[in-house]
């Protein structure tokens, strides 16, 4: 719970960090994907 | 010291603006940065434009009052504003814009629906309303300059405008994005220092949160009555505060961001989807820091203020939430940090303003004057430069003439109008081949008109500040004298987008279905780069 008194706010903290981490993972996995010659 | 750092900062900004100017040869450079921006610059520019001083000072102060609930806003900013926007809208926007040769967001809409009216109407809405929104940012930073460097407010206003005018008018979008990336970097570094300093001062992450948890019985009674249980305990479900925080988060910011022309145009500045994928990485981290860190620092400022003065943040700031973050930086952080923090605030304001000026200028020059009205004298490039100059001037005039209460509401105005006017036509235009010109026109004009009506006559926050409803009908909102507690009476607190956005979507879908579809040839052109998934 990281010192938070409610699960909802502990969740907001964890999910915010997880969302940023998700963006990093997405960026790394797709680092070289999406060149114009090779759409999607 | 402050003057020295400020001059050094401005020197770098001018140098980057000069680089933008030197590398701007043709219209595409001026409006879309040549469609060749590296992912780091694109992502930092997107984030720095997205987050202005008000997100740091204003919402940081709100977090001091309401606590950690505001972190949901950061969560949505990352998921919707960065991930969904870049992955699901960015790539399609870029590729469709390239196929159609569109240079601005209104032009993309106009080209997709084959309508100069749509381009002119969208450009007109952006040009008319963005200077009022920009005036809010300009006033805020000029007030800060007045307080910290003891420069006269009017002089600060003019000086700021002139500095920005030089690099936006001459440097175009390249100048704007290079300086944004530099300014975004300053903002990000300051936030890293701030979050480490706050948590280490309070003995660690868990210790800091626990200390705030233990202060729940200090919540002032008026806030308790409105639904605040505690800063780490959250808000009572269904209470007025809960409604305000969650509807504003979901409608005002979560969805509103998807229809901001100055952000959408950045998707068209990169060479391929690869850059957008990489930008997701940078953008996600940037938005975690901004606005994430000011919210955390704002909430935890209560603990530090209580330890030092025995008072809560809002009491130290004498009830003015906009003073909480500046006071916190001054009292809790070392002197050198407050100097650099001021710089980060300049950076936040300038990066937002420069993009507002640029998008207002391209709307007036390219979309309204050149494409909708057919004025071609001097060429596209020159007309757009004149458009930027007019936008800058209009912003200065608004900042001087409008009362501040109206200006402050202008931000909500712009977000509300953009979402209702543009979002359905934009989303359906990218994903639904059956969406027609008539559907888009009805959705845009209908959504805009309803949103405008709601803001002027129903939603009391704006209608009261603007005063038109009072002048015509003798009451602050048309819903004001309905029976107290009835659903009509409650309408005055309902966000315009709760009403106008669904209506705008329904109009777009229904009118599209009853009008004849766009020609196969046109759709094939629009979708030519959208691949198999289209």
């Amino acid at each position: 719970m990281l010192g938070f008194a409610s699960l909802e706010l502990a969740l907001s903290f964890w999910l915010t960090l997880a969302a940023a981490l998700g963006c990093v993972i997405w960026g790394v996995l797709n680092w070289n994907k999406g060149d114009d010659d090779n759409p999607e | 010291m402050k003057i020295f750092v400020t001059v050094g900062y401005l020197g770098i900004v001018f140098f980057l603006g000069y680089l933008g100017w030197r590398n701007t040869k043709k219209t595409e450079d001026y409006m879309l940065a040549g469609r060749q921006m590296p992912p780091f610059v694109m992502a930092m520019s997107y984030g720095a434009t997205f987050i202005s001083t008000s997100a740091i000072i204003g919402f940081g102060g709100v977090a001091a009052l309401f606590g950690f609930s505001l972190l949901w806003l950061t969560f949505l900013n990352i998921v919707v504003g960065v991930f969904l926007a870049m992955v699901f809208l960015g790539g399609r926007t870029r590729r469709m814009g390239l196929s159609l040769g569109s240079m601005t967001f209104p032009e993309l809409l106009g080209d997709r629906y084959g309508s100069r009216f749509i381009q002119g109407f969208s450009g007109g809405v952006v040009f008319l309303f963005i200077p009022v929104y920009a005036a809010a940012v300009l006033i805020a930073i000029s007030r800060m300059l007045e307080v910290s460097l003891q420069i006269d407010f009017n002089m600060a206003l003019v000086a700021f405008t002139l500095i920005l005018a030089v690099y936006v008018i001459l440097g175009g979008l390249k100048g704007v994005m290079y300086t944004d990336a530099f300014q975004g970097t300053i903002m990000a570094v300051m936030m890293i220092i701030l979050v480490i300093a706050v948590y280490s001062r309070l003995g660690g992450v868990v210790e800091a949160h626990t200390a705030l948890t233990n202060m729940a019985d200090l919540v002032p009674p008026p806030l308790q009555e409105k639904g605040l249980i505690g800063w780490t305990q959250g808000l009572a479900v269904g209470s007025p505060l809960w409604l305000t925080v969650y509807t504003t988060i979901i409608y005002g910011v979560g969805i509103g961001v998807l229809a901001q022309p100055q952000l959408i145009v950045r998707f068209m500045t990169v060479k391929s989807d690869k850059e957008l994928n990489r930008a997701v990485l940078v953008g996600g981290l940037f938005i975690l820091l901004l606005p994430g860190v000011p919210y955390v620092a704002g909430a935890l400022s209560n603990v530090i203020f209580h330890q030092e003065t025995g008072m809560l943040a809002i009491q130290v700031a004498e009830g003015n939430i906009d003073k909480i973050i500046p006071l916190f930086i001054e009292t809790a952080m070392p002197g050198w940090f407050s100097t650099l923090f001021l710089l980060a605030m300049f950076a936040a304001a300038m990066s937002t303003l420069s993009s507002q000026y640029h998008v207002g200028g391209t709307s007036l020059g390219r979309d309204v004057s050149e494409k909708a009205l057919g004025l071609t004298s001097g060429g596209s490039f020159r007309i757009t430069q004149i458009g930027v100059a007019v936008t800058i001037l209009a912003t200065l005039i608004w900042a001087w003439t409008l009362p501040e209460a109206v200006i402050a509401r202008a931000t909500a105005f712009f977000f509300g109008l953009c979402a209702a006017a543009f979002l359905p036509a934009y989303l359906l235009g990218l994903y639904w081949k059956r969406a027609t010109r008539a559907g888009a026109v009805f959705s845009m004009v209908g959504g805009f008109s309803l949103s405008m009506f709601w803001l002027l006559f129903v939603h009391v926050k704006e209608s009261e500040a603007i005063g038109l409803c009072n002048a015509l009908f003798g009451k602050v909102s048309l819903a004001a004298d309905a029976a107290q507690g009835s659903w009509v009476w409650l309408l005055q607190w309902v966000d315009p987008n709760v009403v106008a956005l669904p209506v705008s979507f329904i109009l777009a879908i229904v009118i599209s279905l009853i009008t004849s579809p766009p020609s196969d040839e046109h759709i094939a052109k629009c979708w030519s780069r959208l691949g198999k998934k289209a």
Side-chain angles (χ1 to χ4, degrees):
Chain A
M1 291 281 279
L2 281 178
F4 287 104
S6 81
L7 181 66
E8 187 209 328
L9 296 195
L11 213 58
S12 78
F13 195 88
W14 282 116
L15 285 179
T16 304
L17 288 175
L21 185 67
C23 286
V24 172
I25 293 171
W26 171 273
V28 170
L29 291 180
N30 293 285
W31 193 254
N32 282 315
K33 290 184 189 158
D35 259 332
D36 247 7
D37 307 335
N38 180 24
E40 302 217 325
Chain B
M1 173 68 179
K2 278 182 183 172
I3 299 281
F4 180 73
V5 173
T6 308
V7 169
Y9 161 77
L10 287 177
I12 297 175
V13 165
F14 276 125
F15 175 70
L16 292 169
Y18 164 76
L19 279 187
W21 172 74
R22 209 184 56 186
N23 293 321
T24 296
K25 302 274 187 291
K26 49 185 200 290
T27 310
E28 205 169 45
D29 294 332
Y30 195 81
M31 288 199 250
L32 286 179
R35 300 190 200 260
Q36 295 288 331
M37 274 289 143
F40 176 78
V41 176
M42 185 274 179
M44 293 301 273
S45 169
Y46 185 91
T49 299
F50 191 169
I51 304 300
S52 72
T53 347
S54 69
I56 303 168
I57 302 285
F59 278 76
V62 173
L65 204 58
F66 299 156
F68 274 91
S69 302
L70 252 76
L71 265 190
W72 285 116
L73 184 55
T74 310
F75 172 71
L76 273 176
N77 286 157
I78 297 173
V79 174
V80 179
V82 175
F83 186 76
L84 293 181
M86 288 190 185
V87 174
F88 290 99
L89 300 181
R92 280 183 170 252
T93 303
R94 188 191 68 77
R95 282 177 271 149
M96 194 180 277
L98 194 60
S99 299
L100 299 170
S102 317
M103 298 271 194
T104 65
F105 171 62
E107 187 159 280
L108 175 72
L109 290 178
D111 290 343
R112 161 64 179 86
Y113 293 107
S115 160
R116 287 297 148 235
F117 168 77
I118 287 180
Q119 181 172 1
F121 179 81
S122 328
V125 170
V126 175
F127 167 70
L128 282 177
F129 291 96
I130 213 159
V132 196
Y133 169 28
V137 182
L138 185 62
I139 287 183
I141 193 66
S142 300
R143 287 266 176 246
M144 204 175 278
L145 212 62
E146 187 184 30
V147 174
S148 61
L149 295 181
Q150 282 85 45
I151 293 175
D152 173 65
F153 174 73
N154 288 313
M155 237 184 82
L157 216 57
V158 174
F160 235 86
T161 301
L162 285 176
I163 291 168
L164 280 154
V166 171
Y167 75 84
V168 182
I169 294 176
L170 295 177
L173 196 57
K174 283 191 178 177
V176 169
M177 290 179 75
Y178 291 155
T179 50
D180 279 0
F182 167 62
Q183 289 156 343
T185 308
I186 295 181
M187 291 154 71
V189 170
M190 296 315 289
M191 292 305 127
I192 293 172
I193 299 173
L194 181 62
V195 77
I196 293 174
V198 169
Y199 277 127
S200 55
R201 184 179 167 139
L202 293 172
V205 174
V206 178
E207 289 75 5
H209 299 162
T210 310
L212 190 60
T213 300
N214 294 338
M215 286 172 64
D217 52 344
L218 298 174
V219 172
L223 284 174
Q224 266 177 14
E225 283 159 25
K226 282 188 182 161
L228 180 67
I229 308 167
W231 294 280
T232 74
Q233 284 81 355
L235 303 161
V237 177
S239 65
L241 273 186
W242 184 87
L243 275 174
T244 309
V245 169
Y246 287 96
T247 60
T248 311
I249 286 171
I250 292 167
Y251 276 99
V253 192
I255 294 174
V257 65
L258 295 177
Q260 293 286 299
Q262 71 277 26
L263 296 180
I264 294 168
V265 77
R266 276 160 177 67
F267 300 144
M268 300 201 268
T269 63
V270 292
K271 200 171 81 183
S272 72
D273 286 12
K274 187 173 79 179
E275 280 76 17
L276 286 171
N277 286 330
R278 295 179 179 185
V280 168
L281 186 155
V282 183
L285 290 175
F286 185 88
I287 299 296
L288 175 68
L289 293 172
L290 281 145
V293 173
Y295 296 167
V296 169
L300 292 175
S301 72
N302 285 302
V303 183
I304 293 177
F305 278 130
H306 192 254
Q307 284 173 354
E308 291 211 341
T309 64
M311 290 193 281
L312 298 173
I314 189 71
Q315 292 159 342
V316 176
E318 295 164 341
N320 183 351
I321 54 169
D322 287 342
K323 277 190 179 167
I324 294 175
I325 294 290
L327 273 173
F328 176 65
I329 300 296
E330 221 170 89
T331 50
M333 299 292 291
W336 62 267
F337 185 87
S338 63
T339 306
L340 290 178
F341 188 79
L342 181 72
L343 209 62
M345 294 303 97
F346 286 168
M350 287 171 79
S351 52
T352 302
L353 274 169
S354 61
S355 311
Q356 291 169 325
Y357 290 154
H358 186 268
V359 82
T362 56
S363 294
L364 176 67
R366 173 84 174 184
D367 302 317
V368 177
S369 308
E370 191 187 348
K371 293 291 174 173
L373 302 176
L375 303 173
T376 50
S377 63
S380 200
F381 199 142
R382 191 66 58 211
I383 288 180
T384 306
Q385 281 189 317
I386 296 169
V388 176
V390 173
T391 309
I392 293 175
L393 200 64
T395 305
L396 191 61
I397 293 172
W398 284 129
W400 256 325
T401 51
L402 279 183
E404 278 186 43
V406 176
I407 294 268
R409 301 312 309 159
T411 313
F413 222 97
F414 188 75
F415 272 69
L417 289 178
C418 278
F422 303 143
L423 195 56
Y426 173 52
L427 286 184
L428 296 174
L430 288 181
Y431 274 97
W432 193 37
K433 292 178 180 173
R434 188 67 180 75
T436 68
R437 178 191 307 171
V441 169
F442 271 87
S443 157
M444 293 174 81
V445 178
F448 171 82
S449 311
L450 183 55
S451 185
M452 191 69 154
F453 169 80
W454 205 263
L455 288 159
L456 288 175
F457 296 104
V458 183
H459 198 234
V460 71
K461 266 188 181 173
E462 285 80 27
S463 67
E464 190 176 18
I466 291 156
L468 184 67
C469 189
N470 198 26
L472 291 178
F473 303 106
K475 47 189 167 188
V476 290
S477 158
L478 291 180
D481 47 11
Q484 203 161 343
S486 68
W487 68 270
V488 180
W489 180 76
L490 284 171
L491 286 180
Q492 54 188 315
W493 292 284
V494 172
D495 192 278
N497 274 327
V498 176
V499 184
L501 190 59
V503 169
S504 182
F505 261 111
I506 291 167
L507 282 172
I509 293 167
V510 171
I511 304 286
S512 287
L513 287 174
I514 59 172
T515 47
S516 53
S519 72
D520 290 345
E521 196 188 333
H522 180 67
I523 288 299
K525 190 180 173 197
C526 294
W527 258 257
S528 64
R529 283 185 169 84
L530 293 187
K532 286 176 198 157
K533 283 186 186 171

